[in-house]
């Protein structure tokens, strides 16, 4: 079967939304330390209060939470494509307000508006990618979202580092303004992207959906075997959902969908409780605790951390559909847990906890250079472990497990929970670092081990399965490791008709592997 590169191009272009997400999240940490920005925000002062700093960062997260919730009905009614356009322009407005800010209130307002746009894009882009992607490479294409997030974080860091030496307000206006460019590119370019074929069929626009499928997967050949089967499967699934009235938020609480909603929310909550944002938000302080005292050295260490985060995401893009979601999540959680525990143990054994001038506890490891370097290496390895596992799969899994009629609603709730926990982590980590110091790493290490157990017990494998087959993937035991043989979709039969037994987690994937080789 002939394939085109169009599905890759469309998915990668949509992932610019992830770049906007990563850039705006990363740029503010550098801006908050710039003297000209502080002077403008405080009316000539030299430091931002904790309340001001917390509000500037926190309102973005609040906006993201609301934006993710609004994205659900928007994606259902306006379409996935138009919602991407809307989110891009909302984000552009917020970025423009930040760039042109002349007061603290204006800055805070811009952050909130940007958050609405980011929240929408963080939900809709993976959803859109999942509905375009063939099952054999769906994980790869959705992982592009995480790759672009990490790219945005890295670019934001180095642009901020380059602009901090500018002796004018341009030092913060340039990095804040640059983010408008990718947002406008996405907003304008998305006009030319195809609609989701599943959304088109759900709205009765079947002929348009067939054209989209043919263009994406067969160079426009509407008679291609893959296109015809995918088209028929989507129609059968949507007709089945209409018969059982699967369309409202309340349906997500019914037994058939409640399990998927819980798992979708849990994987997003767990993603935050790996501790990754404690590392990314507070990297300078963490590297200082680990023994890097010089400011420029801390800056470089943080920058290398961002570069590593981006490049370590590449294995997920290349191999996630081969390794599977379960193995990737479990191995990543165990790897991160070991890194966090070793960091905490070495810090506790070799560091000296003292009370600094502000009354907060800090840890001094300057007396043991080897231990300091060991902790820094463990932090780097932790970031790499997250980048190949929970970073991408945290977006992939919720975007693929819900039926099409409630996919936007379910993914919206899951993504909103991510932003809520992001806010919680951003609030508690500074307190933890100031009170229990090395105990922070022990805490997150234990969380990672708990997460690996939960994935083993409860999260079924979804690799190689079409979105229309997810009802069957989740029809087995609540204990995922027991689902060796359950009813699985036969290529010639519709949902609710004749099925053949295949393994959900360990079954033969010769057909899927053959299809993957054609990409």
């Amino acid at each position: 079967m002939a394939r085109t590169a169009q599905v890759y191009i469309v998915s990668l272009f949509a992932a610019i939304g992830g770049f906007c997400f990563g850039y705006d999240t990363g740029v503010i940490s550098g801006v908050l330390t710039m003297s000209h920005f502080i002077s403008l925000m405080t009316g000539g002062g030299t430091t931002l209060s904790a309340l001001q700093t917390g509000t500037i960062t926190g309102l973005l997260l609040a906006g993201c939470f609301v934006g993710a919730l609004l994205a659900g009905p928007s994606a259902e009614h306006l379409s996935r494509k138009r919602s991407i356009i809307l989110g891009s322009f909302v984000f552009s407005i917020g970025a423009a307000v930040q760039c042109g800010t002349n007061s603290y209130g204006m800055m805070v307002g811009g952050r909130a508006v940007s958050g609405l746009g980011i929240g929408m894009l963080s939900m809709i882009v993976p959803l859109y990618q999942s509905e375009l992607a063939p099952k054999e490479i769906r994980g790869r294409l959705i992982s592009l979202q995480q790759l672009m997030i990490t790219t945005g974080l890295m670019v934001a860091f180095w642009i901020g580092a380059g602009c901090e030496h500018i002796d004018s307000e341009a030092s913060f206006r340039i990095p804040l303004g640059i983010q408008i460019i990718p947002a406008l590119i996405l907003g304008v370019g998305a006009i030319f992207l195809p609609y989701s074929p599943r959304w088109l069929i759900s709205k009765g626009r079947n002929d348009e959906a067939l054209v989209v499928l043919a263009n994406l997967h067969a160079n426009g050949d509407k008679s291609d075997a893959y296109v015809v089967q995918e088209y028929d499967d989507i129609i059968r699934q949507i007709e089945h959902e209409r018969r059982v009235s699967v369309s409202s938020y309340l349906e997500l609480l019914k037994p058939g969908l409640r399990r998927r909603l819980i798992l979708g929310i849990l994987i997003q909550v767990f993603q935050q409780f790996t501790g990754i944002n404690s590392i990314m938000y507070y990297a300078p302080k963490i590297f200082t605790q680990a023994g890097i005292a010089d400011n420029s050295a801390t800056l470089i260490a943080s920058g290398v951390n961002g570069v590593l985060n981006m490049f370590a995401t590449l294995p997920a893009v290349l191999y996630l559909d081969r390794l599977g979601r379960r193995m990737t999540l479990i191995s990543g959680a165990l790897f991160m847990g070991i890194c966090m525990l070793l960091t905490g143990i070495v810090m506790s054994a070799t560091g000296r906890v003292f009370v600094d001038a502000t009354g907060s506890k800090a840890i001094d490891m300057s007396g043991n250079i080897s231990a300091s370097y060991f902790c820094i290496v463990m932090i780097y390895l932790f970031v790499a472990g997250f980048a190949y596992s929970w970073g991408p799969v945290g977006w992939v899994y919720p975007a693929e497990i819900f039926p099409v009629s409630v996919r936007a609603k379910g993914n919206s709730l899951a993504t909103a929970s991510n932003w809520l926990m992001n806010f919680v982590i951003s609030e508690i980590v500074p307190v933890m670092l100031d009170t229990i110091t090395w105990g922070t790493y022990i805490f997150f290490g234990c969380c990672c081990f708990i997460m690996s157990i939960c994935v083993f017990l409860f999260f079924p494998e979804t690799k190689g399965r079409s979105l229309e087959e997810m009802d069957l993937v989740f029809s087995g035991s609540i204990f995922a490791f027991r689902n060796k043989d359950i009813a699985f979709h036969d290529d010639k039969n519709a949902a609710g008709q004749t099925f053949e037994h295949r393994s959900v987690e360990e079954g033969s994937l010769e057909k899927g592997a053959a299809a993957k080789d054609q990409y």
Side-chain angles (χ1 to χ4, degrees):
M1 176 175 56
R3 302 286 190 182
T4 72
Q6 187 170 346
V7 67
Y8 281 101
I9 295 170
V10 170
S11 296
L12 181 61
F13 188 85
I16 293 175
F19 182 90
C20 296
F21 166 9
Y23 187 95
D24 194 63
T25 303
V27 74
I28 197 64
S29 60
V31 168
L32 288 173
T33 64
M34 294 179 179
S35 59
H36 289 280
F37 177 80
I38 294 172
S39 177
L40 181 64
M41 293 297 104
T42 59
T46 57
T47 58
L48 289 169
S49 68
L51 176 61
Q52 289 175 316
T53 301
T55 303
I56 290 173
T57 56
L59 270 184
L60 175 79
L61 301 178
C64 290
F65 175 77
V66 175
L69 291 176
L70 293 176
S74 172
E76 291 288 355
H77 298 295
L78 296 180
S79 80
R80 283 60 160 149
K81 168 183 168 175
R82 292 183 187 130
S83 296
I84 290 175
I85 296 171
L86 177 61
S88 300
F89 284 113
V90 169
F91 175 76
S92 297
I93 293 171
V97 172
Q98 292 181 65
C99 179
T101 185
N102 56 20
S103 67
Y104 173 72
M106 189 173 175
M107 182 65 189
V108 167
R111 294 290 288 171
V113 174
S114 288
L116 289 174
I118 291 175
M120 293 184 68
L121 292 173
S122 67
M123 192 290 282
I124 295 169
V125 169
L127 176 70
Y128 178 73
Q129 292 168 322
S130 75
E131 294 188 341
L132 297 183
K135 62 185 179 182
E136 298 85 8
I137 57 169
R138 188 174 59 243
R140 177 186 301 173
L141 294 182
I142 303 177
S143 294
L144 293 174
Q145 162 85 345
Q146 180 65 18
L147 178 63
M148 294 297 278
I149 290 172
T150 57
T151 303
L153 283 165
M154 181 193 70
V155 170
F157 176 86
W158 289 110
I159 287 178
C163 291
E164 70 173 351
H165 300 295
I166 299 175
D167 190 19
S168 69
E169 290 188 354
S171 61
F172 68 86
R173 297 195 190 277
I174 290 175
L176 289 175
I178 284 176
Q179 60 191 329
I180 301 173
I181 298 173
L184 289 178
I185 291 173
L186 177 61
V188 174
I191 296 172
F192 304 99
L193 295 181
Y195 288 97
S196 161
R198 288 168 171 83
W199 181 83
L200 287 171
I201 291 175
S202 73
K203 300 302 180 183
R205 297 161 62 175
N206 294 16
D207 292 341
E208 293 177 61
L210 181 59
V211 171
V212 171
L213 287 170
N215 289 336
L216 286 174
H217 305 301
N219 290 316
D221 182 6
K222 292 188 283 188
S223 64
D224 180 86
Y226 175 88
V227 171
V228 171
Q229 180 170 331
E230 184 81 355
Y231 176 74
D232 290 341
D233 285 348
I234 297 171
I235 289 178
R236 292 189 191 109
Q237 180 66 22
I238 290 176
E239 288 177 349
H240 172 70
E241 291 171 13
R242 284 171 178 163
R243 287 196 299 271
V244 298
S245 300
V246 179
S247 60
S248 70
Y249 280 100
L250 291 177
E251 295 292 333
L252 290 167
L253 300 178
K254 293 185 177 180
L257 295 174
R258 184 171 57 224
R259 177 187 176 195
R260 283 184 255 187
L261 178 63
I262 292 172
L263 293 182
I265 290 175
L266 274 181
I267 198 168
Q268 293 277 26
V269 171
F270 285 167
Q271 188 191 63
Q272 293 303 315
F273 274 88
T274 59
I276 184 62
N277 279 330
S278 68
I279 300 294
M280 302 309 292
Y281 287 163
Y282 304 104
K285 183 168 186 175
I286 289 169
F287 284 124
T288 299
Q289 283 192 348
I292 300 180
D294 182 71
N295 186 58
S296 60
T298 302
L299 182 69
I300 293 172
S302 300
V304 171
N305 193 42
V307 174
L308 175 65
N309 189 27
M310 185 194 74
F311 281 103
T313 306
L314 291 174
V317 176
L318 298 174
Y319 301 114
L320 179 58
D321 290 299
R322 187 174 303 173
L323 296 175
R325 284 48 160 168
R326 279 170 58 84
M327 179 183 295
T328 303
L329 289 171
I330 293 171
S331 64
L334 292 174
F335 186 75
M336 289 186 293
I338 292 171
C339 291
M340 284 287 96
L341 283 180
L342 289 176
T343 300
I345 291 170
V346 171
M347 279 190 173
S348 67
T350 63
R352 178 180 64 87
V353 177
F354 65 97
V355 178
D356 62 19
T358 64
S360 300
K361 289 183 179 179
I363 189 165
D364 177 20
M365 296 185 64
S366 58
N368 193 324
I369 300 300
S370 298
S372 297
Y373 286 150
F374 176 85
C375 290
I376 293 166
V377 169
M378 286 299 103
I379 290 171
Y380 283 152
L381 290 177
F382 168 84
V383 170
F386 176 86
Y388 89 82
S389 60
W390 284 83
V393 182
W395 301 108
V396 172
Y397 205 82
E400 63 185 3
I401 62 177
F402 295 103
V404 64
S405 55
V406 290
R407 187 170 296 132
K409 296 180 178 70
N411 198 37
S412 171
L413 294 174
T415 305
S417 68
N418 181 297
W419 288 112
L420 179 61
M421 288 302 105
N422 195 327
F423 174 76
V424 171
I425 292 297
S426 70
E427 292 296 312
I428 66 173
V429 165
V431 178
M432 294 174 71
L433 290 173
D434 288 343
T435 54
I436 61 175
T437 59
W438 53 263
T440 306
Y441 308 98
I442 302 294
F443 170 79
F444 285 119
C446 292
C447 287
C448 288
F449 286 118
I450 293 171
M451 287 153 45
S452 67
I453 295 172
C454 288
V455 172
F456 174 76
L457 292 177
F458 303 118
F459 285 73
E461 183 57 74
T462 59
K463 75 168 181 176
R465 312 307 182 188
S466 73
L467 298 179
E468 285 64 49
E469 293 165 344
M470 290 301 163
D471 284 351
L472 298 168
V473 170
F474 285 88
S475 67
S477 169
I478 190 173
F479 295 106
F481 66 92
R482 292 182 177 176
N483 294 333
K484 302 301 180 183
D485 292 286
I486 67 170
F488 191 70
H489 188 277
D490 189 308
D491 292 340
K492 298 179 181 180
N493 295 286
Q497 297 177 339
T498 305
F499 296 91
E500 63 179 339
H501 284 276
R502 292 185 184 174
S503 167
V504 168
E505 294 180 19
E506 300 176 354
S508 173
L509 289 178
E510 290 85 1
K511 187 180 296 183
K516 184 187 296 183
D517 291 340
Q518 298 175 2
Y519 285 90

